[in-house]
Amino acid sequence: YPDNVSILTSNEDHIQLGLSIIDYESLNFSVVVDIDGDPVWFADRTNFIASKIIVTEIASNGNFIGFGFRRGYEINLDSEIIFETDYPEYEVHHSIIKPGNDSYFFLDAVNQILPCPEDCSESAPANLEWVGDKIIQVDLNGELIWEWNSFDYLSQLEYNPQWLPQAEASGIFDWTHGNSVFFNEVDSIVYISLRNINRISAIDYTTKEIIWDIADPGYMEGTPFGGNFEFSHQHSAQITDTGTLLFFDNGRDTSPERSKCMEIGLNESREPELVWEYVLPDSMFTLSRGECKRLDNGNTLITAGRTGNIIEVNNNDEIVWHFRAITGSGDDVAFYWTQRIKNLYPHAFSIKIDNLE
């Protein structure tokens, strides 16, 4: 457990009270802490392959959803495995969610041998192993319900040349690098964040066609939805309760490099527009990882990736809660996600019956 966990700011009149699920990703396990930063639960990572379990969310039944070493899981409070994806049939990476009570969505890598793009150097190999993404939906028994393959719906002319030197050296081209999937049951749209091409795509669940892309136009053949919002290396794209698109912009390709939260309105009657953003201080700039999550009281919980910082900001962009985690060797703990919950027992209830004999 990190040696130095502290709360640097806590304004209880303005914070969303409750507990926080935090993945100590760099330490390979997840915890739940109270508002004072004290742990009230942690995952027993010894129950999992390679002693790694990264919790991504709590399900409506009180179990946790997460992944570790190529497998996706649903686990209970005792870290007992309730559900596990079929490996090697699927290799779960970066994201698994359980949007309802009857299925799981997750990301799985998919490979094809294809020619080296036109931006390759003269000394590059003729062909590369391109790595794309599949979105997989399985039922509670692990049986396939639905899938979407990036090779079927994206052009191989749409790529980011900055990843080619690494590909030429290794022979493996990390083409799309999906890092989050989100399913909106209200309108049956699947959202995927494709980090390496600076793109967030909305996919019609019924037809599997891409409805729109919010993206860097430099890596697209067409025109992105709403123009260029100038984000890069983004993570954790999700739809809020008010229907806006909220995500963490790592800012890898911007000058100066700054990480921030971005919220884009998706009103059907007009072009999408930036409705809110929060720029993190330089000390919280992170090239990878990160999340912005809207809370019930309207505040936003921001996980600043590799920096060891998690903050909560209110509607006036004031920091009302600041969590900091550092290891004994002085390293910042890295996080993917944080989720604020009321308690660990959403499935608990009591019944009172009047005049019972």
Side-chain angles (χ1 to χ4, degrees):
Y1 199 85
D3 293 84
N4 186 355
V5 174
S6 55
I7 302 297
L8 304 182
T9 301
S10 183
N11 185 337
E12 293 197 11
D13 291 333
H14 294 275
I15 61 177
Q16 175 75 56
L17 295 176
L19 305 173
S20 298
I21 306 172
I22 303 173
D23 69 281
Y24 288 163
E25 186 267 334
S26 56
L27 303 178
N28 290 335
F29 70 99
S30 297
V31 300
V32 175
V33 302
D34 62 19
I35 286 300
D36 297 320
D38 296 322
V40 299
W41 176 87
F42 65 89
D44 182 357
R45 67 181 186 179
T46 62
N47 285 359
F48 304 92
I49 303 296
S51 293
K52 180 176 182 178
I53 177 64
I54 304 300
V55 167
T56 60
E57 64 177 8
I58 191 169
S60 59
N61 61 5
N63 291 336
F64 295 102
I65 311 301
F67 67 93
F69 195 67
R70 304 176 180 174
R71 295 161 172 83
Y73 298 103
E74 178 174 345
I75 65 173
N76 63 18
L77 284 174
D78 296 320
S79 298
E80 297 168 337
I81 297 172
I82 306 302
F83 170 82
E84 181 177 349
T85 57
D86 183 5
Y87 175 84
E89 177 70 20
Y90 306 113
E91 292 195 24
V92 178
H93 73 86
H94 282 83
S95 181
I96 179 171
I97 59 173
K98 189 180 183 184
N101 295 315
D102 55 2
S103 70
Y104 307 87
F105 285 81
F106 56 86
L107 294 178
D108 184 10
V110 57
N111 304 346
Q112 285 192 21
I113 303 299
L114 295 169
C116 206
E118 62 179 16
D119 288 306
C120 287
S121 66
E122 292 183 0
S123 60
N127 296 308
L128 296 174
E129 182 180 347
W130 289 52
V131 182
D133 286 280
K134 275 187 178 182
I135 306 172
I136 301 292
Q137 181 190 16
V138 297
D139 63 20
L140 300 181
N141 296 315
E143 298 297 326
L144 180 67
I145 298 175
W146 184 90
E147 65 179 334
W148 182 90
N149 188 329
S150 59
F151 285 101
D152 296 333
Y153 294 93
L154 300 180
S155 167
Q156 279 78 65
L157 296 177
E158 300 180 320
Y159 62 88
N160 187 338
Q162 69 176 276
W163 299 102
L164 286 178
Q166 175 183 319
E168 292 179 23
S170 66
I172 301 173
F173 184 27
D174 191 2
W175 174 36
T176 53
H177 200 110
N179 56 29
S180 74
V181 59
F182 184 91
F183 179 55
N184 189 353
E185 294 182 279
V186 175
D187 53 15
S188 292
I189 296 177
V190 182
Y191 298 85
I192 185 172
S193 167
L194 300 171
R195 189 197 75 175
N196 279 10
I197 55 174
N198 300 349
R199 185 178 306 187
I200 298 168
S201 298
I203 301 163
D204 185 290
Y205 181 83
T206 301
T207 67
K208 300 186 182 180
E209 296 294 333
I210 295 176
I211 302 170
W212 51 252
D213 296 297
I214 290 179
D216 185 330
Y219 311 135
M220 285 192 69
E221 288 190 288
T223 302
F225 184 43
N228 186 6
F229 287 97
E230 298 184 345
F231 60 87
S232 58
H233 218 70
Q234 76 290 335
H235 283 74
S236 195
Q238 54 198 272
I239 300 298
T240 68
D241 290 341
T242 58
T244 58
L245 175 68
L246 183 66
F247 60 94
F248 188 90
D249 171 24
N250 293 81
R252 185 187 186 109
D253 300 334
T254 57
S255 181
E257 293 179 323
R258 303 291 294 273
S259 296
K260 61 181 182 290
C261 289
M262 296 184 70
E263 184 177 7
I264 295 176
L266 302 173
N267 192 314
E268 293 181 358
S269 63
R270 62 176 185 270
E271 291 288 286
E273 60 181 349
L274 181 68
V275 295
W276 176 78
E277 71 175 6
Y278 180 87
V279 179
L280 291 166
D282 292 342
S283 60
M284 297 187 196
F285 171 70
T286 178
L287 285 173
S288 63
R289 298 160 177 76
E291 183 190 49
C292 309
K293 183 161 287 180
R294 187 60 40 78
L295 302 178
D296 291 340
N297 66 353
N299 291 353
T300 305
L301 195 61
I302 306 173
T303 308
R306 290 184 175 274
T307 72
N309 292 282
I310 300 170
I311 62 173
E312 179 183 345
V313 298
N314 63 15
N315 291 329
N316 296 319
D317 292 346
E318 300 166 330
I319 297 177
V320 296
W321 189 73
H322 187 172
F323 175 93
R324 186 86 169 92
I326 306 172
T327 66
S329 59
D331 296 324
D332 296 324
V333 176
F335 320 112
Y336 276 119
W337 301 276
T338 309
Q339 182 177 353
R340 184 68 50 79
I341 59 175
K342 293 181 180 179
N343 55 64
L344 286 173
Y345 307 99
H347 58 304
F349 62 93
S350 60
I351 296 174
K352 180 179 179 181
I353 302 177
D354 293 333
N355 302 318
L356 177 67
E357 292 183 4

